[in-house]
Amino acid sequence: DERNYEKALEYFLKAESLGKNTVAVLSKVGNCYDILGNHPKAVDYHSKCLALDAADYGSYYNRGLAYLSMEANEEAKNDFEKALTLDDEDVDAYYNLSKAYFGLGNLEKSMELIEQSMAMDTRNASYYDLRAAIFESQGKLDRAIEDYTVSISLYPDDCEIHLALGKLFVKSQNPIRAKVYFQNALDKGCEEAEDLMGNL
């Protein structure tokens, strides 16, 4: 709860060494490893959970997240699809499955899934960001700009969204608006924006 994941991991591993090899403990070990950036170790522990309970939704979902972080999109896709067979009402599972399909280059399926997420929750900026990325990959820059604009209205201090909008305006040959968003991104902490403004 204090977000001290190194210390949490130490104690969960101690619990495991004392014979507490339960899904509840092992999944927390996996989650700590994932947050700390050791995604292969996270996969190992979530796989241990599934060896104990092959119908555990959380283990498929959490292993899918670790696979996504490793850009192992096919494995992530398989895990999120399995998770959704166990609980088809988790909006984030549709979102992360959409990300996996996007990583695999299946834009049509990715779009179908992200729009399913958005139908369930219209106030999540991450969903608009992903759909904007899909639109951009399809060459629909105006639609991408619309989605990032909604995302900014939800989280106005996210410098990454301002940066993405600036890049889109460069692509759409609107350097004046690009510069405005690059300046916003720089003001909010994205230092990359300074070089991008210099290239305009």
Side-chain angles (χ1 to χ4, degrees):
D1 288 343
E2 293 177 348
R3 299 191 179 352
N4 186 344
Y5 297 106
E6 293 90 349
K7 201 67 178 174
L9 179 60
E10 176 187 333
Y11 281 105
F12 288 132
L13 287 171
K14 181 67 174 175
E16 180 191 12
S17 74
L18 294 172
K20 296 295 183 181
N21 298 314
T22 64
V23 170
V25 171
L26 298 180
S27 67
K28 290 184 185 299
V29 173
N31 289 338
C32 285
Y33 274 126
D34 203 30
I35 291 166
L36 293 169
N38 192 338
H39 309 301
K41 230 10 184 176
V43 166
D44 288 345
Y45 270 88
H46 294 311
S47 296
K48 287 182 182 182
C49 292
L50 289 167
L52 293 172
D53 182 357
D56 185 63
Y57 168 86
S59 297
Y60 284 110
Y61 181 87
N62 290 327
R63 191 172 67 175
L65 290 178
Y67 277 134
L68 269 186
S69 296
M70 295 165 63
E71 297 184 2
N73 292 302
E74 185 66 32
E75 290 82 357
K77 174 184 77 70
N78 292 339
D79 274 355
F80 290 126
E81 285 179 340
K82 181 63 177 177
L84 283 166
T85 67
L86 298 168
D87 179 0
D88 64 359
E89 295 185 1
D90 187 341
V91 61
D92 282 332
Y94 290 103
Y95 163 68
N96 285 300
L97 182 56
S98 177
K99 286 176 70 175
Y101 272 108
F102 182 72
L104 291 168
N106 189 334
L107 301 182
E108 183 177 345
K109 186 65 176 178
S110 182
M111 179 67 78
E112 174 190 327
L113 289 160
I114 196 57
E115 291 192 333
Q116 193 161 350
S117 292
M118 295 171 86
M120 298 165 76
D121 179 2
T122 61
R123 303 289 297 170
N124 192 313
S126 297
Y127 302 168
Y128 288 96
D129 293 343
L130 179 54
R131 192 171 70 171
I134 298 168
F135 279 136
E136 183 177 358
S137 295
Q138 294 173 329
K140 300 174 182 177
L141 302 187
D142 289 345
R143 298 293 303 276
I145 288 168
E146 287 175 11
D147 272 356
Y148 278 132
T149 302
V150 173
S151 184
I152 280 181
S153 73
L154 295 170
Y155 291 98
D157 293 327
D158 187 336
C159 75
E160 295 289 344
I161 308 173
H162 290 275
L163 194 66
L165 261 171
K167 290 177 180 178
L168 276 173
F169 280 118
V170 170
K171 278 189 175 182
S172 61
Q173 300 182 341
N174 190 335
I176 295 174
R177 293 201 70 187
K179 191 168 185 177
V180 169
Y181 282 102
F182 285 148
Q183 185 62 58
N184 289 344
L186 185 61
D187 292 343
K188 296 175 189 303
C190 283
E191 295 181 3
E192 178 190 347
E194 188 169 10
D195 291 335
L196 294 169
M197 277 198 296
N199 293 333
L200 290 176

